[in-house]
Structures are given as structure tokens and as C-alpha cells.
């Protein structure tokens, strides 16, 4: 049995795994989730990682799964927590020593163009929120039906931008086995970048699913089977 520690990305919460969790449990796995304080401008990716460590401490046969922006958090957590594998799902990847803001300047093909059209301007606390359902549906939940996309949209939270300016505290990525799952029609994290970055930074070939940025919502059973196949326990 594998324990999957699921770490959500920007704007989301532990609620986003509600469809995937029973599919993994049906395959015989244990699932643990964590709620990150993404709306808090005083937090950083390093303190997000501390939350992950606290939530998953003591778990055995742990596969740490990071969706989207959580790709910057789970490698930090893996330096403080015994982890069998890191699994990146439609995720950005940390560049040791660089901030995420610097990465975006250097790797302009990392994120898809037009991704920010449905976001607010930063509020007084430096946070951006989704304010246009149709754009969010297209960007985050492109292959979901309207009811599923609306269910998710209604639970989205503000995302603080302050962590984007904090340099990644790692000197190098941890020496942990990795897998990368990309989606062929991802409209947030560019799948072409994902495939190249997985090969160059993680030394693995990305596995590509059909669909958009949130396979845990649009195709949870298929994602659960793939995660099982990629896990050390099989």
C-alpha cells in the first residue's frame, strides 16, 4: 500500500482532491491531504513545506504529490521528510536559488499565454483572485463539465504573490525518485515546457494524459490508475 500525500496548488485547497481520493482508496492506497495558507502574504514556499512536513510526518511508503504551484513546495518538504517518490502533476518545477518570479522571466514558455485574463489585480495584501468564471473554466478546468467547473470555481481562494519573490532555499533538488504527469491540453502550465523540464531537471520522461490542468477533477479514475502504476509499490 502506498500513502499518497496530496498537496494542492495556487488558489485551491484540500477540497480539490475530493474526486481523486476515493479512486486511490479503491485501489488500496492511503490518502492524506494538507491545507496550505495560500491567501496569507506572510507565508513562503518554505513555510508551505513546513505545513506539508507537519501534515505527513510519520507516514510510511509516502509518495508526495504536488499539483501546479505545489511543484515548488514538495521538493523542499522532501529534504525534511522521508519520501519514496515525488510526483509532479501539471506542475512547475523549482529552480534552486531562484525565485519563482525570476523563473517566469527566464522561462517565458513555462506558463501558457493569456493565463491571467480572468484574475483580479492584486489587492491590498498582494493577492490575486479569479473573478471570471468562463476564463477560469477554460484555463483551470478546460475538460470539465460546467457543473464540475462551477463547483471548483466557487471554492477557489486568493493566492498571495509574496512567495513568488522568495528565492528557492534549495542548493539542488533532493535525491529522490521522481515522476511527472503532464496533460496534453493544459492551458496553464505549458505541456511542451513540462515535457522538456521533466527530462532536463528530473531526468525522467513525462507521462502525458489527455485533457487540461485539473485531471483530479476531470478524470480522477484514470489519474489514480496512473499514479498507482508510477508509485514504487505499483
Amino acid at each position: 500500500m502506498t500513502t499518497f500525500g496530496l498537496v494542492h496548488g495556487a488558489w485551491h485547497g484540500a477540497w480539490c482532491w475530493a474526486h481523486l481520493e476515493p479512486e486511490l482508496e479503491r485501489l488500496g492506497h492511503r490518502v492524506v491531504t494538507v491545507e496550505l495558507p495560500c491567501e496569507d502574504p506572510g507565508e513562503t514556499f518554505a513555510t508551505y513545506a513546513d505545513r506539508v512536513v507537519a501534515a505527513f510526518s510519520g507516514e510510511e511508503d509516502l509518495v508526495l504529490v504536488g499539483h501546479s504551484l505545489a511543484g515548488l513546495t514538495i521538493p523542499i518538504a522532501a529534504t525534511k521528510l522521508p519520501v519514496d517518490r515525488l510526483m509532479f502533476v501539471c506542475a512547475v518545477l523549482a529552480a534552486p536559488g531562484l525565485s519563482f518570479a525570476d523563473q517566469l522571466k527566464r522561462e517565458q514558455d513555462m506558463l501558457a499565454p493569456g493565463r491571467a485574463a480572468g484574475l483580479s489585480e492584486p489587492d491590498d495584501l498582494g493577492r490575486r483572485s479569479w473573478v471570471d468564471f468562463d476564463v477560469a473554466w477554460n484555463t483551470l478546468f478546460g475538460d470539465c463539465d460546467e457543473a464540475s467547473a462551477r463547483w471548483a470555481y466557487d471554492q477557489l481562494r486568493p493566492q498571495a504573490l509574496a512567495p513568488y519573490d522568495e528565492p528557492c532555499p534549495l542548493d539542488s533538488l533532493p535525491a529522490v525518485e521522481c515522476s511527472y504527469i503532464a496533460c496534453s491540453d493544459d492551458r496553464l502550465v505549458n505541456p511542451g515546457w513540462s515535457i522538456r523540464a521533466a527530462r532536463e531537471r528530473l531526468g525522467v520522461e513525462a507521462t502525458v494524459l489527455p485533457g487540461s490542468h485539473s485531471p483530479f477533477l476531470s478524470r480522477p479514475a484514470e489519474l489514480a490508475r496512473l499514479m498507482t502504476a508510477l508509485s514504487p509499490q505499483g
Side-chain angles (χ1 to χ4, degrees):
M1 178 184 73
T2 295
T3 297
F4 285 102
L6 306 181
V7 186
H8 65 82
W11 305 292
H12 287 64
W15 57 264
C16 74
W17 308 112
H19 295 71
L20 178 64
E21 185 170 352
E23 297 294 344
L24 288 169
E25 291 174 340
R26 194 171 292 119
L27 294 173
H29 305 299
R30 173 170 164 75
V31 177
V32 186
T33 64
V34 62
E35 190 82 17
L36 299 180
C38 62
E39 70 276 20
D40 186 341
E43 300 278 347
T44 66
F45 295 118
T47 61
Y48 287 1
D50 290 339
R51 302 286 186 119
V52 171
V53 171
F56 303 151
S57 180
E59 298 291 344
E60 297 182 352
D61 302 317
L62 179 62
V63 172
L64 206 52
V65 181
H67 174 247
S68 197
L69 193 66
L72 304 182
T73 296
I74 61 173
I76 304 172
T79 66
K80 306 175 182 181
L81 188 68
V83 173
D84 285 357
R85 180 174 291 264
L86 294 175
M87 194 171 289
F88 299 87
V89 179
C90 300
V92 296
L93 296 175
L98 291 181
S99 69
F100 186 49
D102 286 336
Q103 282 188 261
L104 291 175
K105 292 175 184 176
R106 294 189 183 197
E107 301 175 71
Q108 296 186 15
D109 65 335
M110 181 192 303
L111 302 184
R115 63 190 179 277
L119 287 168
S120 68
E121 292 299 315
D123 65 14
D124 291 343
L125 295 177
R127 308 176 305 180
R128 300 187 77 181
S129 302
W130 285 94
V131 293
D132 187 306
F133 168 69
D134 288 331
V135 177
W137 182 8
N138 180 68
T139 304
L140 301 176
F141 315 117
D143 58 336
C144 296
D145 60 62
E146 183 172 359
S148 297
R150 176 65 70 176
W151 173 83
Y153 178 81
D154 287 344
Q155 299 182 80
L156 295 175
R157 298 182 289 160
Q159 172 63 50
L161 302 180
Y164 293 16
D165 293 322
E166 291 289 328
C168 174
L170 300 177
D171 294 325
S172 61
L173 294 178
V176 177
E177 295 293 326
C178 296
S179 299
Y180 193 106
I181 299 171
C183 284
S184 60
D185 194 32
D186 193 332
R187 295 165 193 167
L188 183 60
V189 179
N190 181 356
W193 175 90
S194 295
I195 292 167
R196 185 179 73 250
R199 184 181 299 126
E200 293 176 353
R201 295 189 191 172
L202 304 178
V204 301
E205 294 297 323
T207 303
V208 182
L209 285 176
S212 191
H213 187 64
S214 302
F216 48 81
L217 185 59
S218 62
R219 54 189 73 243
E222 186 177 356
L223 179 59
R225 290 191 296 270
L226 177 56
M227 290 168 63
T228 295
L230 293 173
S231 69
Q233 306 295 325

